[in-house]
């Protein structure tokens, strides 16, 4: 009774407060504002997050509605901010009745239709943000009447037509500080006529439109301009030197991909660079792709030493590189490629010790490569290809332990390959092809395990044997040693380069037989051994390969019988020319005389049919092949063979039987159960040869959808291999039992380490965590960009990241991954047709799903990037996204973003305490702090609302790779810093 009474008294109280709100506080103005807002809401057709649920016509004071702010007296609505709420619909003109509005932000939604011209009557409006929507049509001239406007952002829509003159050129628009109309389809000229003054303008962003004409002279009246981005338009005329000269505050100037000319009939760049000299805080200049003529004037060295990036590529700049450029000591990126530069590379260039990426390719540079390149400590990419450089490759590259890509192809380099290159332990690409390099391939270089993209030494004068060390390159995708004078035999150990897709050994003097192991390379697609002196029979393993598409055996001394089965079925005689000893059923080849192998073949088919019902099977990694050799069963083409073509081929896969799995797991006993998920259970097992496995058994009571997931997982696992992706041992499929057999990861999942309360798991320190992030990024980058079939993971989270005994992270659980059929090098992102069927299954887990998936957008790599960003923030903050959702009422990334950048200290401090290593020397504190901050920033970039703004996995992997180097070797960085300090006078 008492409870009931109390309850109703409380209720009554609430009601009174409410009534008061409704009756007393809302005056005529707020009632009008309310009516306008309700009318605006009518135009909204989708509101997936129910943001506008509290917009009621009665009950809640309008000033308390989501997205609304009122003035102090609570009698006017002054702010409407609904950015990033995934709203869809049109923008109602009724907003124009919110007569006191200062801020209107509807950016990052799905608004369509036109921008109502009525908004021009919002006479107090200071900020109008409608960017990243689907708005179309012309920009209404009435927006030029916004007298108080400071910030105008209409970027990334579908706006067309000319920019209305009043927008830029109206007595009232002088308050404008920020204009962003970029990434639309606007045409016509920049409407800034003489006499127009945008005196307060700091940012002018018009990139990616169809603007024509010259940069208007009146722009020089905007003397506070900091940031001008006119990239990717069709602007013409002389470079706007006279304007730039009057902009001393300029920091960023982007004019690339237009039709600008230099002065004096496109022959003189000096006036332009002179005009930039006064900008003392100038940081980035982009002039690429304009066909600009002239030489690089020495005055380039007088630009601000704050300059960080200089992009002058794809022009017609001639003459030599002035040594004065080396004054730009803060430069990290220099791109002069695809010009007409000649002369030598000035060694002084290497005094710019902050350089990270240097592109000088596709010019006519001559002389030697300065050995001083070895003095640029952070150099990660050096591209000097397609020049006329001569002399030998300097020994000093050995100092560049951050070097990832070294491209020196198509020059006239001679001498030998310095063995010291083997010290560049982070090298991913080494391309020295099309030079005159002689000598042998040094074993140190052949043993570069880090090479994961390609090694190209083709078209040189290399001689000697193929070094055995090549077999250590277990990540490299392509090796091209063609057109040299290499001799000796092809070592069978090349079979250990298990990631190889492309191998070209043609046009050498190799002899002996072609090893069987080459045909067993599980991902080899293209093999060329033509024009050597190889002999013997062509190994059967090649014919049996599931992956080989292109083969060339011509001009050798091969002999024996070649059938047109298997991988050879699509080959023509062209692949076998010039081998008089070959005969067989390839079209155009002479037939062999007798065959006696029929009986055996038939017998083996009968045998395999008999065994079918009892055993089950599949693909599995080469390395363990011998261990499983004695197990027998039959290949089930349905689960793992994804193309019919592959399925038709017969294969001798090693097998594990159902009975052996029962034995290994103690009859799937509860004591060997190590996990369960929505697919079923995971058991630990030990095979007879003591190898430890995880057996993922599908719960057959689950529905078709999950069965589909199981098949997809098989398919994805079979096609991918990378040291950071879990590798399948085998799969087992019978009508009543389906399981995947995977190697057991001794350190369990990342989740266990992040949230263990039991002291069972090791607490990870920051170095380990950065290394894990790097591993995961590499794995995903492989899936998105390098795997034979592109894959979107769809469900990245800590429980899907496993740690092996060395704490290397492996990404697992491809159950809902999507295969993307795009082999043109681009991952199709928006095209739903390019994804395999079976979309419709929810992609991802709560807290990690990209917001666009909630809107029914198709699965994309950007979605994985989002999940990866959440993962980074989770690792740094040590908070589960679901916990943050429960406690803060916002997603993890929104919560972190609210602290960014000024209130991050507590997060950073906690991270440092949580992840401190016992042995961390004090002086590294700053290094660790930097790393944590960068991880947070990267996490926020990856979780940006607009998918196209997120970085791609390849760039992320590169960045985290650098962080990893930094944190693992801070001493080398610190020593450099100290050195520099000592050197400074
Ligand atoms: C290089 O850049 C840093 C950071 O912007 C700045 O503090 C430093 O003064 C610059 N160095 C020179 C020589 O201008
Ligand atoms: C570079 O090219 C210019 C013509 O564009 C020529 O006059 C000059 O002699 C060349 N210099 C060298 C070092 O080849």
């Amino acid at each position: 009774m008492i409870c009931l009474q109390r309850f109703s008294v409380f209720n009554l109280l609430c009601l009174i407060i409410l009534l008061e709100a409704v009756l007393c506080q809302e005056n005529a103005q707020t009632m009008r504002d309310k009516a306008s807002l309700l009318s605006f809401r009518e135009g909204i057709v989708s509101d997936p997050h129910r943001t506008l649920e509290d917009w009621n016509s009665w009950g809640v004071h309008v000033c308390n509605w989501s997205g609304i702010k009122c003035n102090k007296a609570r009698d006017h609505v002054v702010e409407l901010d609904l950015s990033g709420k995934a709203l869809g619909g049109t923008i109602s003109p009724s907003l124009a009745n919110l007569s006191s509005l200062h801020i209107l932000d509807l950016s990052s939604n799905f608004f369509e239709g036109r921008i109502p011209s009525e908004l021009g009557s919002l006479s107090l409006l200071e900020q109008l943000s409608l960017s990243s929507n689907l708005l179309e049509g012309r920009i209404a001239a009435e927006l030029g009447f916004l007298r108080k406007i400071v910030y105008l952002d209409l970027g990334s829509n579908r706006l067309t037509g000319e920019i209305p003159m009043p927008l830029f050129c109206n007595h009232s628009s002088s308050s404008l500080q920020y204009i962003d109309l970029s990434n639309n389809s606007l045409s016509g000229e920049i409407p800034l006529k003489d006499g127009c003054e945008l005196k307060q303008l700091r940012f002018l962003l018009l990139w990616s439109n169809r603007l024509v004409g010259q940069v208007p002279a009146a722009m020089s009246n905007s003397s506070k301009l900091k940031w001008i981005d006119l990239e990717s338009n069709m602007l013409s005329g002389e470079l706007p030197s006279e304007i730039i000269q009057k902009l001393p505050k300029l920091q960023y100037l982007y004019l690339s991909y237009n039709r600008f000319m230099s002065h004096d009939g496109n022959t003189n760049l000096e006036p332009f660079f002179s005009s930039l000299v006064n900008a003392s805080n100038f940081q980035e200049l982009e002039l690429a792709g304009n066909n600009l003529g002239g030489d690089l004037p020495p005055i380039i060295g007088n630009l601000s030493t704050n300059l960080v990036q200089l992009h002058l590529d794809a022009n017609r700049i001639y003459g030599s590189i002035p040594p004065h450029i080396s004054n730009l000591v803060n430069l990290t990126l220099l791109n002069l490629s695809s010009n007409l530069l000649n002369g030598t590379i000035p060694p002084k260039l290497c005094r710019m010790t902050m350089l990270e990426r240097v592109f000088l390719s596709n010019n006519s540079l001559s002389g030697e490569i300065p050995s001083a390149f070895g003095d640029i400590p952070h150099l990660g990419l050096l591209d000097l290809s397609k020049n006329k450089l001569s002399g030998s490759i300097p020994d000093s590259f050995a100092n560049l332990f951050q070097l990832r890509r070294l491209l020196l192809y198509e020059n006239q380099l001679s001498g030998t390959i310095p063995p010291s290159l083997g010290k560049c332990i982070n090298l991913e690409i080494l391309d020295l092809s099309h030079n005159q390099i002689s000598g042998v391939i040094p074993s140190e270089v052949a043993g570069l395990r880090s090479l994961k993209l390609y090694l190209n030494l083709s078209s040189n004068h290399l001689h000697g044997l193929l070094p055995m060390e090549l077999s250590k390159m277990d990540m490299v995708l392509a090796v091209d040693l063609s057109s040299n004078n290499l001799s000796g035999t092809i070592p069978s150990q090349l079979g250990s380069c298990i990631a190889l897709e492309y191998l070209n050994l043609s046009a050498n003097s190799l002899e002996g037989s072609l090893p069987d192991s080459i045909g067993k390379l599980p991902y080899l697609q293209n093999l060329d051994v033509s024009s050597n002196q190889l002999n013997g029979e062509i190994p059967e393993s090649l014919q049996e390969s599931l992956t080989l598409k292109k083969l060339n055996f011509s001009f050798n001394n091969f002999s024996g019988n070649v059938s047109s089965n298997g991988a050879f079925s699509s080959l023509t005689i062209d692949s076998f020319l010039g081998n008089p000893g070959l005969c067989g059923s390839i079209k155009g080849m002479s037939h062999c005389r007798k065959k006696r192998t029929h009986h055996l073949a038939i017998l083996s088919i009968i045998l395999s049919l008999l065994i079918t019902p009892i055993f089950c099977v599949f693909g599995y990694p080469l390395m363990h092949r011998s261990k499983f050799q004695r197990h027998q069963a039959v290949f089930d083409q349905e689960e793992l063979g994804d193309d019919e073509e592959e399925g038709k081929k017969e294969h001798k896969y090693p097998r594990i039987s159902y009975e052996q799995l029962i034995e290994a797991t103690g009859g799937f006993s509860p004591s060997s159960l190590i996990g369960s998920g929505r697919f079923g259970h995971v058991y630990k097992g030990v095979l007879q040869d003591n190898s430890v496995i995880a057996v993922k058994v599908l719960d057959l009571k689950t529905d078709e959808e999950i069965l589909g997931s199981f098949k997809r997982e098989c398919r994805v696992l079979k096609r991918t291999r990378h040291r950071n992706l879990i590798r399948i041992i085998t799969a087992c499929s019978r009508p009543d039992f389906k399981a995947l057999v995977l190697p057991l990861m001794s350190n369990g999942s990342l989740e266990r380490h992040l949230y263990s309360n039991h002291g069972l798991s090791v607490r990870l320190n920051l170095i380990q965590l950065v290394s894990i992030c790097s591993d995961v990024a590499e794995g995903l980058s492989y899936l998105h960009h390098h795997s034979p079939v592109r894959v979107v993971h769809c469900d990245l989270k800590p429980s899907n990241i496993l740690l092996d005994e060395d704490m290397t992270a492996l990404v697992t659980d491809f159950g809902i991954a999507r295969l993307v059929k795009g082999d043109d090098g681009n991952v199709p992102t928006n095209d739903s047709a390019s994804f395999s069927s079976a979309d419709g299954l929810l992609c991802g887990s709560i807290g990690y799903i990209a917001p666009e998936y909630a809107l029914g957008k198709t699965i994309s790599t950007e979605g994985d990037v989002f999940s990866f960003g959440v993962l980074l923030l989770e690792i740094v903050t040590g908070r589960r996204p679901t916990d943050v959702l429960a406690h803060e009422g916002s997603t993890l990334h929104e919560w972190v973003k609210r602290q960014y950048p000024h209130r991050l200290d507590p997060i950073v401090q906690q991270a440092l305490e949580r992840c401190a290593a016992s042995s961390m020397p004090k002086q590294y504190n700053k290094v660790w702090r930097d790393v944590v901050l960068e991880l947070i920033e990267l996490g926020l970039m990856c979780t940006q609302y607009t998918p196209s703004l997120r970085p791609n996995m390849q760039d992320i992997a590169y960045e985290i790779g650098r962080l990893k180097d930094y944190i693992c070797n801070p001493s080398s960085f610190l020593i450099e810093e100290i050195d520099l300090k000592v050197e400074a006078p």
Side-chain angles (χ1 to χ4, degrees):
M1 270 307 268
I2 295 166
C3 284
L4 201 67
Q5 253 173 359
R6 244 204 231 155
F7 188 62
S8 53
V9 168
F10 176 74
N11 263 1
L12 198 64
L13 214 69
C14 289
L15 201 63
I16 291 169
I17 294 171
L18 272 176
L19 279 174
E20 205 176 69
V22 173
L23 298 176
C24 312
Q25 291 199 344
E26 298 204 7
N27 61 13
Q29 176 61 40
T30 49
M31 296 306 273
R32 266 199 304 278
D33 286 352
K34 194 179 237 180
S36 309
L37 289 167
L38 289 173
S39 171
F40 164 73
R41 196 181 63 172
E42 309 261 286
I44 289 173
V45 295
S46 107
D47 179 11
H49 305 324
R50 302 189 181 171
T51 310
L52 305 184
E53 212 168 48
D54 61 1
W55 284 29
N56 297 309
S57 55
W58 61 277
V60 184
H61 192 289
V62 65
C63 297
N64 295 343
W65 290 4
S66 306
I68 304 287
K69 278 199 188 134
C70 290
N71 59 343
K72 266 219 179 105
R74 289 168 71 80
D75 54 8
H76 289 106
V77 172
V78 295
E79 181 175 331
L80 173 57
D81 177 0
L82 294 173
S83 60
K85 302 293 186 199
L87 301 171
T90 53
I91 301 176
S92 162
S94 67
L95 285 183
N97 298 331
L98 297 169
S99 55
S100 303
L101 209 57
H102 287 62
I103 295 179
L104 175 56
D105 188 348
L106 304 178
S107 59
S108 300
N109 281 294
F110 299 93
F111 284 107
E112 318 173 296
R114 285 162 172 266
I115 302 172
S117 57
E118 290 83 349
L119 297 186
S121 64
L122 288 169
S123 56
L124 299 179
L125 200 64
E126 292 169 8
Q127 177 183 338
L128 177 60
S129 308
L130 303 177
S131 62
S132 300
N133 277 292
L134 308 169
L135 297 166
E136 57 196 17
R138 291 165 171 274
I139 301 173
E142 285 83 349
L143 294 188
F145 303 134
L146 294 167
R147 273 185 288 133
K148 292 268 171 68
I149 194 85
V150 173
Y151 182 102
L152 175 68
D153 186 0
L154 309 180
S156 299
N157 278 293
R158 298 167 177 177
L159 300 169
T160 52
E162 299 193 359
I163 303 172
M165 172 104 71
L167 204 60
F168 283 13
C169 215
N170 183 312
H171 290 301
S172 60
S173 56
S174 56
S175 54
L176 266 172
Q177 295 187 20
Y178 183 103
I179 299 178
D180 185 353
L181 306 179
S182 59
N183 207 11
N184 280 294
S185 300
L186 298 168
S187 52
E189 300 195 359
I190 302 174
L192 200 58
K193 294 288 169 279
D194 292 341
C196 297
E197 295 200 351
L198 290 170
K199 278 226 170 359
Q200 302 302 321
L201 195 63
R202 285 153 173 84
F203 298 84
L204 179 61
L205 311 178
L206 302 176
W207 51 271
S208 210
N209 276 295
R210 296 180 195 152
L211 301 171
V212 296
Q214 308 202 4
V215 178
M219 202 184 279
S220 60
N221 297 332
S222 307
S223 58
K224 292 183 179 166
L225 266 172
K226 271 174 44 178
W227 191 315
I228 300 178
D229 192 343
L230 307 178
E231 226 169 272
S232 300
N233 278 289
M234 296 178 287
L235 297 167
S236 55
E238 269 183 6
L239 287 170
S241 309
E242 289 182 18
I243 300 166
I244 301 301
Q245 192 167 17
K246 295 180 187 152
L247 306 177
K249 301 228 157 90
L250 202 60
Q251 291 182 17
Y252 302 93
L253 178 60
Y254 305 116
L255 302 176
S256 297
Y257 305 103
N258 278 290
R259 295 167 187 176
F260 290 117
M261 294 191 319
S262 65
H263 290 256
D264 302 333
N266 206 23
T267 60
N268 188 1
L269 281 164
E270 155 112 40
F272 178 73
F273 283 107
S274 308
S275 72
L276 279 165
V277 168
N278 293 334
S280 59
N281 196 18
F282 194 59
Q283 303 194 2
E284 290 185 16
L285 175 63
E286 300 197 6
L287 285 183
N290 274 299
N291 279 330
L292 296 171
D295 51 17
L296 280 180
I299 198 162
I300 198 168
N302 295 8
L303 297 187
S304 158
T305 48
N306 287 308
L307 195 68
V308 176
Q309 297 203 5
L310 183 58
H311 301 250
L312 301 177
D313 44 308
N315 281 300
R316 307 182 59 79
I317 301 174
Y318 46 77
S320 55
I321 302 173
H324 313 75
I325 202 170
S326 62
N327 292 346
L328 304 173
V329 291
N330 259 334
L331 209 61
T332 64
L333 184 148
L334 173 65
N335 194 342
L336 300 177
S337 61
S338 300
N339 276 294
L340 306 170
L341 295 166
N342 65 6
T344 57
I345 301 175
K348 263 187 151 181
L349 199 74
C350 308
R351 292 202 190 158
M352 296 186 276
T353 53
M354 303 302 280
L355 279 172
E356 292 170 2
R357 284 173 285 176
V358 175
F359 304 82
L360 303 178
S361 63
N362 204 11
N363 279 291
S364 301
L365 298 168
S366 54
E368 301 204 353
I369 300 176
S371 73
F373 272 117
D375 303 338
I376 308 179
H378 308 297
L379 197 61
L381 183 153
L382 180 62
D383 184 357
L384 305 179
S385 60
K386 296 188 168 192
N387 277 294
K388 296 176 178 160
L389 298 167
S390 54
S392 50
I393 300 171
D395 231 6
S396 59
F397 283 145
N399 302 337
L400 300 177
F401 93 106
Q402 298 202 47
L403 194 63
R404 284 168 190 260
R405 302 186 176 195
L406 179 59
L407 306 167
L408 304 178
Y409 61 90
E410 290 186 45
N411 277 292
Q412 291 150 21
L413 298 170
S414 53
T416 57
I417 302 176
S420 58
L421 267 188
K423 292 188 182 157
C424 300
I425 51 164
N426 282 306
L427 213 52
E428 296 170 351
I429 294 181
L430 177 60
D431 193 339
L432 309 179
S433 63
H434 295 272
N435 279 291
Q436 286 140 34
I437 299 170
S438 54
V440 300
I441 303 175
S443 56
E444 292 84 349
V445 173
L448 270 169
R449 287 205 54 199
S450 60
L451 280 185
K452 56 186 156 202
L453 298 175
Y454 62 86
L455 171 68
N456 191 350
L457 304 177
S458 67
S459 299
N460 277 294
H461 305 316
L462 297 167
H463 65 85
L465 305 178
L466 291 181
M468 211 59 91
E469 285 76 6
L470 277 177
S471 62
K472 291 186 191 163
M473 293 192 179
D474 56 358
M475 294 194 286
V476 74
L477 298 185
V479 170
D480 189 348
L481 305 177
S482 64
S483 300
N484 279 292
N485 302 323
L486 299 167
S487 56
T489 58
I490 300 176
S492 68
Q493 286 86 340
L494 273 188
S496 309
C497 302
I498 58 159
L500 263 188
E501 290 174 5
Y502 176 96
L503 177 61
N504 191 347
L505 302 174
S506 66
N508 279 291
S509 306
L510 300 167
E511 55 195 19
S513 58
L514 190 56
D516 193 47
S517 60
I518 304 282
K520 290 185 175 154
L521 282 168
Y523 304 99
L524 194 65
Q525 294 181 22
N526 194 329
L527 173 68
D528 190 347
V529 293
S530 63
S531 301
N532 279 291
Q533 285 129 40
L534 299 169
N535 56 29
E537 299 200 354
I538 292 174
E540 260 176 46
S541 59
L542 288 168
Q543 197 141 19
E544 288 166 1
S545 166
L546 289 173
T547 51
L548 272 169
K549 296 199 173 80
K550 283 191 171 172
L551 281 156
N552 195 349
F553 303 105
S554 41
F555 304 104
N556 280 290
N557 297 317
F558 288 117
S559 57
N561 185 348
V562 184
S563 85
S564 58
N565 295 339
F568 291 3
S569 59
S570 58
L571 298 184
T572 67
I573 185 73
D574 291 343
S575 300
F576 300 91
L577 292 172
N579 289 287
L582 283 179
C583 64
S585 51
I586 304 280
K587 226 202 230 162
M589 192 180 270
S590 59
H591 290 278
C592 304
R593 266 184 277 156
K594 53 183 177 181
K595 275 184 198 164
R596 295 181 59 181
T597 51
H598 272 311
H599 295 311
L600 217 60
I602 291 171
L603 195 66
S604 72
I605 291 170
I606 293 176
L607 260 179
S608 65
L609 286 175
L610 284 175
I611 298 168
T612 310
I614 313 169
F615 294 102
C616 28
V617 171
F618 309 61
Y620 98 40
L622 282 180
M623 358 256 287
H624 301 142
R625 189 164 277 182
S626 59
K627 287 189 187 171
F628 295 95
Q629 217 113 49
R630 45 200 140 86
H631 310 303
Q632 292 194 353
V634 167
F635 179 58
D636 178 338
Q637 64 189 47
E638 246 193 48
E639 305 300 354
L640 284 178
D642 10 45
D643 317 319
E644 276 184 25
E645 215 182 294
E646 289 182 18
K648 276 188 211 138
K649 295 172 190 161
E650 286 174 41
H651 287 281
K652 298 177 206 148
Y653 275 91
R655 281 126 208 198
I656 303 179
S657 73
Y658 177 57
E659 283 70 25
Q660 282 163 333
L661 287 183
I662 293 190
E663 194 190 318
T665 57
F668 297 106
S669 70
S671 62
S672 40
L673 188 67
I674 51 174
S676 42
R678 57 173 150 171
F679 301 107
H681 301 301
V682 185
Y683 297 88
K684 176 181 172 167
V686 183
L687 293 174
Q688 273 175 351
D689 60 14
N690 288 328
S691 45
V692 187
I693 54 172
V695 187
K696 195 167 169 182
V697 182
L698 181 70
D699 181 359
L700 287 179
K701 281 186 285 280
T702 54
D703 51 15
E704 275 301 301
E705 228 174 43
I706 290 192
L707 191 64
S709 296
F710 175 80
K711 288 188 176 175
R712 275 194 295 279
E713 184 163 4
C714 286
R715 228 182 295 161
V716 173
L717 281 170
K718 185 183 153 236
R719 290 193 153 203
T720 52
R721 65 328 173 192
H722 185 276
R723 70 178 210 104
N724 301 120
L725 299 174
I726 200 105
R727 200 177 280 157
I728 193 170
I729 292 176
T730 186
C732 187
S733 180
R734 317 197 318 174
D736 58 339
F737 176 83
K738 295 195 188 301
L740 278 175
V741 182
L742 307 162
L744 187 76
M745 293 296 135
S746 50
N747 273 314
S749 76
L750 174 60
E751 183 182 42
R752 202 177 90 186
H753 292 273
L754 289 179
Y755 303 110
S756 159
N757 309 320
H758 321 299
L760 291 176
S761 317
V762 194
R763 204 170 44 107
L764 299 172
N765 67 43
L766 190 61
I767 295 182
Q768 289 170 314
L769 287 170
V770 171
S771 169
I772 287 168
C773 294
S774 167
D775 289 345
V776 175
E778 293 285 354
L780 280 182
S781 168
Y782 175 82
L783 287 179
H784 289 182
H785 301 284
H786 304 298
S787 111
V789 174
R790 282 154 230 288
V791 178
V792 178
H793 185 286
C794 287
D795 197 13
L796 189 68
K797 55 182 175 182
S799 58
N800 284 341
I801 293 163
L802 302 181
L803 302 173
D804 74 4
E805 55 196 356
D806 306 326
M807 286 301 196
T808 300
L810 290 91
V811 179
T812 179
D813 207 340
F814 295 85
I816 54 181
R818 299 299 200 280
L819 301 179
V820 183
K821 292 183 199 114
D823 41 14
D824 51 356
N826 295 319
V827 182
T829 44
N830 299 318
D831 178 6
S832 60
S834 58
F835 292 90
S836 68
S837 56
D839 283 21
L841 194 68
L842 181 70
C843 188
S845 303
I846 304 291
Y848 303 89
I849 314 178
E852 63 270 20
Y853 289 165
L855 302 167
K857 287 252 164 149
T858 36
I859 304 313
S860 68
T861 51
E862 288 96 336
D864 278 356
V865 172
F866 183 93
S867 308
F868 182 78
V870 176
L871 180 78
L872 283 181
L873 296 176
E874 177 174 7
I875 285 175
V876 174
T877 60
R879 300 190 65 180
R880 285 181 202 267
T882 42
D883 286 354
V884 176
L885 212 51
H887 288 110
E888 320 288 340
S890 75
T891 58
L892 175 59
H893 66 279
E894 279 165 0
W895 177 73
V896 176
K897 202 167 158 190
R898 281 205 301 273
Q899 331 291 320
Y900 185 84
H902 301 300
R903 285 180 288 158
L904 282 178
D905 263 356
I907 294 183
V908 175
Q909 200 50 42
Q910 267 178 15
L912 290 177
E913 280 161 21
R914 206 160 17 88
C915 314
S918 47
S919 61
M920 183 179 79
K922 256 238 163 72
Q923 67 265 33
Y924 296 163
N925 217 322
K926 176 182 173 311
V927 175
W928 283 42
R929 185 170 288 274
D930 287 351
V931 169
V932 169
L933 274 172
E934 292 212 28
L935 288 177
I936 292 175
E937 282 179 358
L938 200 56
L940 290 176
M941 276 166 71
C942 293
T943 50
Q944 291 183 96
Y945 184 82
T946 308
S948 60
L949 294 180
R950 298 174 202 151
N952 71 36
M953 243 17 256
Q954 198 170 330
D955 293 344
I956 297 166
Y958 182 80
E959 281 309 316
I960 299 188
R962 296 185 76 87
L963 278 187
K964 186 173 149 191
D965 294 342
Y966 183 44
I967 195 166
C968 292
N969 290 291
S971 58
S972 60
F973 288 80
L974 289 182
I975 288 165
E976 277 151 19
E977 268 178 30
I978 293 164
D979 277 354
L980 285 181
K981 272 178 205 142
V982 172
E983 271 178 29

